[in-house]
Amino acid sequence: MINYFFRRLLLTIPVLLGITLLTFLVMHLTPGSPADTMTDMNLKVSAQAKSRLAELYGLNKPLHVQYVRWLGRIVRLDFGNSFRDERPAIRKIAERLPATLLLNILSMGLILIIAIPLGVLAALYQKKLFDTVATIGVYIGFSIPAFWLALMLMILFGLKLGWLPLSGLHSINYDDLSLPGKCLDLARHLVLPVFISAFTGLAGLTRYTRSSMIDVLKQDYIRMAYAKGLPRRRILFHHALKNALLPVITIFGLSLPGLIGGGFIFETIFAYPGMGRLGYDAIMARDYPVVMAVGVIVAFLTLAGNLIADMSYAIADPRITLK
Amino acid sequence: MLAVFIAGCTKTPSAGHAPNNRANHNNGDAYIASSIGDASFLNPILSSDSSSGQINGLIFNGLVKYDRNLAVVGDLAKQWDVSTDGLTITFHLRNNILWHDGMPFTADDVVYTFDQLRNPSVKTPYGSDYELVKNVTAIDSATVRIVYRRPFAPALESWMIGILPKHIFSNAGDFNTHPANRRPVGTGPFMFSEWKTDEKIILIANPRYFDGEPPVSRYVFRIIPDQSVQFLELRNESIDEDSLTPDQWRAYPEFFTQYNKFNYPSFSYTYLGFNLTVPLFADKRMRQAIACAINKQEIIDGVLLGNGRAATGPFPPQSWAYDPSVKDIAYDPARTRALLTTLGWIDTNGDGYLEKSGKTLGFTILTNQGNKMRMLTAEIIQAQLKNVGIKVAVRVLEWSSFVHQFIDKRNFDVVMLGWSLARDPDQYALWHSDQTHEGQYNFMSYKNSMVDKLLEDGRTTFNTHQRKLIYNRIHRILAEDVPCIFLYYPESLVAIHKRFRGPEVAAAGIGWNFQKWWVPAGEIKYKMHYEK
C-alpha cells in the first residue's frame, strides 16, 4: 500500500501541471489585464501610465515566458505578489483560511450529525411518512437559493427579533470584549451562516446514506444475521451501518477541497471574509498570482482528497486491496 | 488602541506642542461607514479604487484642497504663489505639522512624494499628471518650489494628492511592497489603527491634528459587499452611513426614522456617445435628430426615480465651468421626423422603421454589464427611438471585453457610458483631437479645431474668471455640436445617522467637513474603550 501511495503521489505531478497550465491559459485568454481594472476609464490615468504598469507587472512578455517564470517561482513555493495590493498571494490565502475552515468544518460537522441518522432512518422507514418528510425536507434545502434564505433569516432573526447580528464575523466592539464574550460574539455571528450552509448542503449525504443503507439491508448477510437471531439493534448498527457508510467515506474525501473553497455568493451575503470572495475578486481583477495560487491549492487538495478517499476505503473495507 | 495613543503622545518631539486635552475635544463616539469593496493600498499614490481613496483622504493631506464651494484653499500649504508666466508655483507650508508618529512634516516630504510619482519602478497610475513638472525643490524646510515646462492650470488640483512621509518609506525596502502601505502614517485628522482584510478598517482621531482633533474619535470602515445587506444593516442601525439607490431612497419613511437623508448632484454625467467615424453619425443633423427624439425627463423619472437632472453639457451644474444659459435640446419628435425626412430617411415598406436606399435606419447601443441604470436607460431610449422609426438594438457586454474589444478598437456605433469627473474642468483628455488613439478617452473621435484651441487655452490660463469664459464656450459648442447626447447628472443619495451633527450639503458634496462632525453627549452610542 505504501508503494501504491507513492505511485499515486507521483502521478499527481503531471495532473497538477496540466491544471495550472489550463488555469493560466484561461486566465490570460480572458479579455482584460490586471492593469486595466485600475486604469480603465479612469480620467486621471493616461495611456502611457497604463502601458508602464503592464510592463512593471511583466505582462508585456510572451505568454510561455510568463508561464515558465511562474513555474520557476512555484517550484520554490513562491506564489508571487498580488497585483491588487502587492502582498504575497500565499499570505492573502493564509489570512482567509481560518475563517473559511471554521465555517466549513462547523457546517460539515452539522451535516454529518444530521445527514447520517436522517439517511439511516429514512432507509429503515422506506416509503413511510418519515422517509417522505425527510426527502422533501432535504430537497427543499437543496433547491432553495441560499442567498434568499439568508436574507429572509437575516430579516427575521436580525432585524425583527434582534437575536442575531446580520452580517460579518465580529462585532464593532469585539476587541473590547472578554474572552468568553469574544467566543459568544463569534458564535452569534456564525449561527446563520453555519445553519444555512448545512441546511442547503444536507441533501447529498442524506440521500447517499439512505440508498446505501437500503442496499445493505437487502444483502444475504443481513438476512443471515436475522436468521441467527441477533437483536435488531445490533444488526442495524453493527452489521448494516458499518457497511453502508463505506461509500460515504468516498463522498467525504471528495468534499475535502470544499473545506477550503468558499461559496462566493454565500460569503458576499454574510460579508464573510473567506476564500470564495478572495478567489472571485481575484478573477474579476485579473489578479493572476492570487488566481493561480488559489487554483494550485484547490487542485492539490482535490487530488489529495481523492487519494485519501481511496486509501481510507482500503483501510475500512478489508475486501479491497490497493496494488 | 491605548498603545497607539500613548505611542503617539510620548513621541512628541518638541515641548510646547503637547496634544490638546482630549477630554475637552474627544467625545468618544464612533462613526461606522460601509463599503462594497475593501481598500487596496493605504497609500494615495498607489491606490486607484474609491475605498482606498476614502480612507486615504482621512489619513493624508495634500498641499491644497477644495473647500465647500470647490475653491482651492491651503491644506498642508498655508498659501502659494503662481509666477506671472504660470511656470512656477511656490508653496509655503504650515509650520508645526506632525506626522502621526510625531516626526515633523517638512518640504522634503513633498519632494520625496513627487520623486515617487515620477519613479519608473513605482506602480502608480498617476504619473501623467506630473509629466509637465520640470523640478520640485525644497527651498527651506517650509517652502517648496515647483517649476513646470509649460503652464498647466490643473496643476493645483494635482497637488491635492496625499503627501507621504519620507522618513517612513526611505529607511528600507521596496516602495510598492512597503509595510506602510498597509499601516499608513499620515498627517490627516484620523490615524490608522487596524485593518482586518475584507472585514473592516479602523481609524482613530488624531489628537494633534493641525485643524483640531475631530470630535468623532473612531472611524470604522466596514466592508459589506452586498447592497441589500448594507440596507438591512442600515435598518438595523448597525451602520451610520449608507449610499442609497433611488428605490431605497424612496423606501418606507419608518426605515429612516433614525437617519437624515441627503441628496446632491454627483460629479458625473451619463451619456450616449456616437462613434463619429461611422458615416451615419458624421452629419450633425442626424445626431440632432436622435437627440430630439430622446425624452430625458422620462428617463430621469423612470430610471433615477427623479433623483437627477437633465444634462446639457460635459460640466455638472455645481461646477463653476457650467453655463446655466445653455439650453437643453428640447424633446421634439416632430422635429426628429422632419430632420430625418430632409436627410432622405422615409418609411418605404411600412414596417414602422425608416429606410434609405434599401437600408433600415438603426444602430446598436453597447453598454457594460453590472450597471442596471445604464441598461434600463438604454431600453427606454430604444423604445423612444422606435417611436420615430429608428431601430435600436441594445447589447450588454462584460466590462473588459467592452473596453478592449469594442471601445479601444472603435468597434461600436453608439455607447452608453458615464464619466466621473475631476473638480477641475479640464477635459482635454475627453474632447481634444489628439486624444483619439487606442486606450485614450476621446474614443468618439470628436474633432473640432475650435474646441481643441479652447481646451489648450483652458489648461494654460490660471485666472479663474478667464477660465470660466473658456469652459462656458466649450459647454456651448459641445451642446450645439452633439458629439454625444448628454443624458443626465445623477444625484448621490446618502443616509447618515441622526446623532451626527454637522453634515451639510455643499457644492463639494457631503463629507467635506467630516472632521468637524460631532455627537451630543447624551446621544453617544459607542463608548471608546481605551483599556484592553
Side-chain angles (χ1 to χ4, degrees), chain A residues 34-51:
Chain A
D36 299 342
T37 49
M38 296 179 234
T39 57
D40 272 344
M41 298 289 156
N42 184 339
L43 281 177
K44 282 198 166 295
V45 183
S46 71
Q48 293 117 287
K50 243 186 256 188
S51 54

Side-chain angles (χ1 to χ4, degrees), chain A residues 31 36 38-40 42 45-46 52 84-87 95-96 159 166-167 170 175-176 268-269 277 286, chain B residues 38-41 48 120 123-124 128 182 194 197-199 222 225 229 232-233 398 400 404 441 529:
Chain A
D36 299 342
M38 296 179 234
T39 57
D40 272 344
N42 184 339
V45 183
S46 71
R52 202 170 62 86
R84 206 176 110 79
D85 56 12
E86 288 293 328
R87 295 167 65 225
E95 223 170 54
R96 309 302 183 94
L159 214 54
L166 290 172
S167 67
H170 306 108
D175 289 332
D176 302 329
T268 300
I269 287 285
R277 263 163 79 199
R286 310 287 187 266
Chain B
D38 199 2
S40 58
F41 295 96
S48 56
K123 291 174 179 168
T124 176
S128 39
R182 276 185 78 81
E194 186 189 9
T197 312
D198 257 349
E199 259 191 83
R222 269 190 72 186
V229 175
L232 288 181
E233 294 277 9
E398 189 267 335
S400 279
H404 296 284
Y441 297 126
H529 291 250

Side-chain angles (χ1 to χ4, degrees), chain B residues 398-468:
Chain B
E398 189 267 335
W399 179 251
S400 279
S401 49
F402 175 55
V403 173
H404 296 284
Q405 329 232 300
F406 292 87
I407 292 204
D408 279 356
K409 304 270 186 285
R410 304 292 180 267
N411 184 13
F412 65 92
D413 300 330
V414 174
V415 288
M416 159 90 59
L417 270 173
W419 282 121
S420 284
L421 302 165
R423 276 35 171 183
D424 188 276
D426 175 39
Q427 293 189 2
Y428 188 92
L430 289 185
W431 308 107
H432 198 280
S433 60
D434 74 4
Q435 298 291 309
T436 53
H437 305 285
E438 181 168 336
Q440 293 181 321
Y441 297 126
N442 185 359
F443 43 77
M444 295 186 284
S445 307
Y446 180 63
K447 287 175 183 160
N448 180 326
S449 51
M450 187 63 184
V451 172
D452 284 358
K453 174 77 177 59
L454 288 167
L455 287 166
E456 286 156 22
D457 289 349
R459 303 188 110 183
T460 49
T461 308
F462 278 83
N463 181 304
T464 307
H465 179 69
Q466 281 169 15
R467 283 192 87 194
K468 180 175 161 56

Side-chain angles (χ1 to χ4, degrees), chain A residues 138-180:
Chain A
V138 297
Y139 274 108
I140 286 178
F142 182 68
S143 35
I144 209 166
F147 78 92
W148 180 83
L149 184 64
L151 283 174
M152 291 303 124
L153 294 184
M154 273 180 190
I155 291 176
L156 179 63
F157 292 108
L159 214 54
K160 299 287 177 205
L161 298 173
W163 295 351
L164 296 170
L166 290 172
S167 67
L169 189 54
H170 306 108
S171 292
I172 292 300
N173 61 346
Y174 181 77
D175 289 332
D176 302 329
L177 297 172
S178 59
L179 187 65

Side-chain angles (χ1 to χ4, degrees), chain A residues 52, chain B residues 45 112-119 124 126-127 130 161:
Chain A
R52 202 170 62 86
Chain B
I45 78 170
Y112 177 78
T113 305
F114 169 74
D115 288 344
Q116 302 318 306
L117 282 162
R118 296 302 295 153
N119 180 346
T124 176
Y126 300 120
Y130 306 88
I161 195 156

